[in-house]
Amino acid sequence: MMSSREIRVRFAPSPTGGLHLGGVRTALYNFLFARKHQGKFILRIEDTDQTRFVPGAEEYIIRCLEWCGLKPDEGPHIGGPFGPYRQSERKNVYAQYAHQLVEQGHAYYAFDTPEELEALRRQQPNFQYDATTRGQLKNSLTLSAKEVQHYLHEGRPYVIRIRMPENKTIRIHDLIRGEVEFDTNQVDDKVLLKADGMPTYHLAVVVDDYLMQISHVFRGEEWLPSTPVHVLLWEYLFGKAHMPEWAHLPLILRPDGHGKLSKRDGDRLGFPVYAMDWTDPFTGETTRGFREMGFLPEAFVNMLALLGWNDGSGQEIFTLDELVTRFSIERIHKSGARFDFEKAKWFNHEWIKRLPVKHYLEEVKIFFKQQHIPLSDDEKLMRVLELIKERCTLLGDFIEQGKFFFVAPETYDLSVIQKKWSPGMQAAFEEWEKALEQVEPWEAENIEHALIAAAEKQELKKNDMLLPLRIMLVGGKFGPPVFQIAELLGKVETRQRIRKALVAFSRHG
Ligand code: GLU
């Protein structure tokens, strides 16, 4: 059911804190859909609830999108023909629509004070402001026209509520779920305009989707229960013909499949839930993000795309461009997608292997700098990274796997030496160390030949010397092929490390 009008989709976060991976996925699906259909991807900041406003959150959201490569075509930071894109700057447009609804009889003034409503809620825990209760409450449906005028005139605070029709079924065609029905009796009379004159989300979202000519709404499943209110507002204010198409995205579930993945689950299970580090400006508390945890944006986006969608071919690794080509709403799953951190790391490992190291050199450098590890020139660093990238799952792993290239081992895993060391081996290593002087050019193969020659003289096998050699150069039983390590370390450093280790081993052998 693709309409012929221009494709315009929006990502409409409220700037209330860190950006949850579910939010990034919503942005991603919007972005993919827009790009696929040569449409526009719009960022709209929904900040009408001033009590939830968090300084810095908007800038953070913009940086997250940038990191992921999801560049909006219109937004508060870049402008566009339908601006402003920050709802707090559009305050004046909403009230007239709320008043229009009152005039049409689809909404009404409600003068009940927060204290009165609170008292009712205490008496009746299931209290809802709806068709069954509105007749006993203080609103323009129960008060006389004169009383209402009087209240308004004396400046009594009021909200405007939608008057939900009774016994009606509202049907939508959801692009993911198919036909969805809502019973209007189940929905309360939502506030549209608050006492401070600001719209609620429900009014603002419909007005802005109309004014910004949004063609499709892709949003989280948690907004499905609000949809009947939005559909009615569309019908009353703008006519259903202009209404966007709806697609409610499946939830991202906890790893055990029980319930929606929350930041708390991440804290508890030790994985990030936010795209990037987020520091709460009120408490100063920082929550780890995927980026700082050592994820590549390519992997993060790829992983998110597959949390709730696949192209049916079994392919798992996709670039953003490939995702644009392959993406289709029809293949978004209806049921929730379980988040699996191990799988997320698998994607990262795959992307680390696939991308040229040049691509993430600067990010890796940040990790080295954080640990105060002195680095050589970029060229050597890149050769090191290339050699060890197969072994790295997160960018931080480059430190563990690569630190020894820049800092000689301070300690040695002596368990190996205790088993293998002998006077003959000591002699072979001493001999080899001297012979290395002559090795030219300094390449893995030549270094290895020199070792074989030294081993033979002592009637040793090369293989017996490999692990002790690794301990000398690396400190432990890990790392890439040992002669390649020597090649990269260079002649002077390799010989120095051997000499230093020989002294240490002779004490323990
Ligand atoms: N402001 C809502 C949010 O924070 C947007 C919901 C929608 O896309 O309609 O998720």
Side-chain angles (χ1 to χ4, degrees), residues 213-275:
Q213 296 180 14
I214 298 302
S215 63
H216 294 74
V217 169
F218 290 86
R219 61 181 176 191
E221 185 185 282
E222 63 273 27
W223 300 105
L224 195 57
S226 304
T227 307
V229 177
H230 302 171
V231 171
L232 286 174
L233 291 178
W234 272 100
E235 196 178 311
Y236 299 153
L237 291 171
F238 310 116
K240 266 172 125 176
H242 297 282
M243 193 165 78
E245 299 205 46
W246 307 98
H248 289 89
L249 307 175
L251 293 178
I252 297 183
L253 304 176
R254 284 166 34 175
D256 64 7
H258 294 303
K260 188 178 162 186
L261 180 73
S262 71
K263 178 179 108 52
R264 235 175 306 123
D265 298 318
D267 294 345
R268 191 168 49 86
L269 299 166
F271 55 74
V273 167
Y274 290 162

Side-chain angles (χ1 to χ4, degrees), residues 61-290:
I61 289 168
I62 292 171
R63 279 191 293 116
C64 286
L65 292 181
E66 212 172 285
W67 178 62
C68 294
L70 309 178
K71 204 174 152 329
D73 300 297
E74 299 167 25
H77 55 313
I78 42 176
F82 296 86
Y85 294 90
R86 205 175 278 124
Q87 287 184 331
S88 59
E89 288 170 20
R90 304 170 62 81
K91 270 189 247 188
N92 304 333
V93 306
Y94 307 110
Q96 55 176 307
Y97 293 104
H99 290 285
Q100 178 187 331
L101 288 164
V102 175
E103 272 156 41
Q104 292 170 334
H106 296 308
Y108 57 89
Y109 299 111
F111 298 98
D112 322 83
T113 64
E115 295 74 28
E116 285 165 349
L117 294 176
E118 193 41 49
L120 280 170
R121 280 193 199 100
R122 245 181 285 120
Q123 282 163 20
Q124 316 164 37
N126 296 331
F127 171 78
Q128 276 210 142
Y129 211 120
D130 60 18
T132 64
T133 57
R134 66 168 88 102
Q136 295 95 54
L137 293 158
K138 209 185 290 169
N139 52 53
S140 57
L141 303 173
T142 57
L143 299 166
S144 70
K146 233 174 110 191
E147 280 171 312
V148 172
Q149 279 317 313
H150 178 67
Y151 278 5
L152 293 178
H153 193 72
E154 70 180 17
R156 226 182 244 231
Y158 66 85
V159 299
I160 292 182
R161 287 180 182 271
I162 186 169
R163 179 184 189 170
M164 284 302 285
E166 282 171 85
N167 307 322
K168 251 186 94 175
T169 302
I170 293 178
R171 291 187 180 83
I172 60 156
H173 177 80
D174 185 281
L175 295 172
I176 298 168
R177 275 142 228 279
E179 304 308 312
V180 186
E181 289 191 349
F182 305 90
D183 172 1
T184 53
N185 295 339
Q186 304 294 323
V187 187
D188 61 330
D189 290 354
K190 297 252 181 280
V191 173
L192 302 177
L193 197 73
K194 292 182 283 187
D196 62 3
M198 285 287 263
T200 58
Y201 157 70
H202 302 293
L203 180 63
V205 81
V206 171
V207 168
D208 283 345
D209 283 348
Y210 171 73
L211 294 176
M212 296 183 181
Q213 296 180 14
I214 298 302
S215 63
H216 294 74
V217 169
F218 290 86
R219 61 181 176 191
E221 185 185 282
E222 63 273 27
W223 300 105
L224 195 57
S226 304
T227 307
V229 177
H230 302 171
V231 171
L232 286 174
L233 291 178
W234 272 100
E235 196 178 311
Y236 299 153
L237 291 171
F238 310 116
K240 266 172 125 176
H242 297 282
M243 193 165 78
E245 299 205 46
W246 307 98
H248 289 89
L249 307 175
L251 293 178
I252 297 183
L253 304 176
R254 284 166 34 175
D256 64 7
H258 294 303
K260 188 178 162 186
L261 180 73
S262 71
K263 178 179 108 52
R264 235 175 306 123
D265 298 318
D267 294 345
R268 191 168 49 86
L269 299 166
F271 55 74
V273 167
Y274 290 162
M276 299 183 348
D277 270 11
W278 164 252
T279 303
D280 185 310
F282 304 119
T283 63
E285 189 198 337
T286 297
T287 308
R288 218 88 255 251
F290 278 87

